[in-house]
């Protein structure tokens, strides 16, 4: 990947030059690229994901789809501002951090979506941001498979093995839940939504990740055993 940064007015864009080169005939690195209006006006929105922020699925090229995800706050602080964050410099914005972290993991061959670009728009002491990643073709959230009773023991073991790979790479996924794990058409699991995640030395946070995932799974099916996840996790050494 070739990450490049550019400034347009009060907007800062960090993008993978290779990805945008592939789509250059249609889409240029511009702040407008990160607005829903840009894609809706071209009739290129092909779907929408549930959850805070309303991520959009985009037909970026005839062969490739992207996901546009605006950053949105949750909890009590969202009552003050849903999409503004305190400005501490470009490299400390959520967009730049997630873009660089995802690119790092992607280049290691780990199953994360290819990051395309992020845009940060500064407004004095605050900023707004959005991120574009490549959509994983034919993928479903683990949560959907659990609800449909399609998450069998073999799949859960693969999920455990995947998590172990990320832990070996020192990734602490602070929101590891059944919606942030996707399963593609071949049955391979992927990890998404690395907002606020970070690389850190091994510690208690690894068990905390697994416990968080277990709680999430039981929200969708309280009877589903998560022991296969631990089996897959431990089998990778």
């Amino acid at each position: 990947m070739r990450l490049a940064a550019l400034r347009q007015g009060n907007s800062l864009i960090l993008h993978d030059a290779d990805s945008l080169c592939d789509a250059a005939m249609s889409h240029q690195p511009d702040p407008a690229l990160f607005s829903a209006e840009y894609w809706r006006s071209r009739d290129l929105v092909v779907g929408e994901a549930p959850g805070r922020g309303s991520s959009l699925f985009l037909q970026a090229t005839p062969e490739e789809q992207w996901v546009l995800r605006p950053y949105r706050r949750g909890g009590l602080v969202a009552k003050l501002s849903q999409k503004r964050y305190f400005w501490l410099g470009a490299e400390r914005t959520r967009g730049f951090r997630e873009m660089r972290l995802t690119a790092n993991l992607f280049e290691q061959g780990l199953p994360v979506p290819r990051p395309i670009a992020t845009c940060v728009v500064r407004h004095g002491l605050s900023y707004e941001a959005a991120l574009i990643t490549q959509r994983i073709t034919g993928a479903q959230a683990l949560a959907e498979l659990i609800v449909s009773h399609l998450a069998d023991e073999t799949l859960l073991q693969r999920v455990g093995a995947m998590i172990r790979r990320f832990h070996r790479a020192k990734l602490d996924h602070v929101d590891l839940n059944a919606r942030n794990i996707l399963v593609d058409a071949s049955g391979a699991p992927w990890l998404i939504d690395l907002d606020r995640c970070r690389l850190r030395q091994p510690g208690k946070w690894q068990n905390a990740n697994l416990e968080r995932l277990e709680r999430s799974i039981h929200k969708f099916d309280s009877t589903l055993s998560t022991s296969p996840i631990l089996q897959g996790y431990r089998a990778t050494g």
Side-chain angles (χ1 to χ4, degrees):
M1 300 188 69
R2 295 185 298 124
L3 295 187
L6 60 89
R7 180 189 296 272
Q8 292 191 24
N10 65 333
S11 299
L12 292 163
I13 297 174
L14 181 64
H15 66 281
D16 172 28
D18 294 327
S19 294
L20 285 184
C21 280
D22 293 340
M25 295 298 292
S26 304
H27 314 294
Q28 298 295 324
D30 183 274
L33 201 66
F34 299 85
S35 70
E37 292 74 17
Y38 173 92
W39 299 96
R40 293 192 191 281
S41 67
R42 291 162 173 77
D43 198 26
L44 293 175
V45 176
V46 295
E48 187 169 340
R52 186 175 70 247
S54 299
S55 296
L56 299 179
F57 300 136
L58 317 169
Q59 193 67 52
T61 73
E63 299 80 23
E64 184 173 290
Q65 292 186 0
W66 293 350
V67 180
L68 170 62
R69 190 181 89 236
Y71 287 90
R72 293 289 184 268
R73 290 185 180 275
L76 294 175
V77 72
K79 294 182 178 180
L80 299 176
S81 176
Q82 288 190 333
K83 58 183 181 178
R84 291 286 181 93
Y85 299 87
F86 189 61
W87 175 263
L88 294 171
E91 291 298 334
R92 296 182 67 180
T93 60
R94 293 170 83 146
F96 271 52
R97 284 184 168 183
E98 185 171 1
M99 181 77 184
R100 291 199 185 280
L101 175 59
T102 307
N104 180 335
L105 298 171
F106 180 85
E107 290 187 316
Q108 292 183 53
L110 290 163
V112 294
R114 184 184 185 100
I116 306 298
T118 186
C119 181
V120 173
V121 182
R122 185 178 179 184
H123 303 282
L125 295 177
S126 66
Y127 73 91
E128 301 174 22
L131 178 73
I132 295 176
T133 56
Q134 188 175 31
R135 188 180 184 186
I136 302 166
T137 305
Q140 289 182 278
L142 177 61
E144 297 175 45
L145 298 175
I146 292 171
V147 170
S148 302
H149 304 292
L150 296 174
D152 60 19
E153 183 173 320
T154 300
L155 173 58
L156 295 179
Q157 288 176 348
R158 286 197 293 266
V159 168
M162 177 200 69
I163 295 170
R164 181 62 176 175
R165 289 182 64 194
F166 280 100
H167 281 180
R168 281 179 146 176
K170 302 180 180 180
L171 177 73
D172 176 9
H173 196 298
V174 298
D175 192 19
L176 188 60
N177 65 65
R179 291 194 183 280
N180 286 336
I181 295 173
L182 301 185
V183 180
D184 67 20
S186 71
W190 297 68
L191 195 58
I192 64 169
D193 194 354
L194 305 184
D195 181 27
R196 298 181 295 112
C197 300
R198 56 176 174 159
L199 301 179
R200 58 191 304 199
Q201 292 302 313
K204 294 181 179 179
W205 59 267
Q206 294 167 302
N207 283 332
N209 282 181
L210 294 168
E211 290 168 359
R212 185 182 183 89
L213 177 59
E214 181 179 28
R215 291 193 299 271
S216 170
I217 288 173
H218 286 160
K219 288 179 181 178
F220 296 99
D221 185 346
S222 61
T223 66
L224 183 63
S225 172
T226 57
S227 59
I229 293 178
L230 295 179
Q231 293 169 7
Y233 184 89
R234 293 165 181 159
T236 57

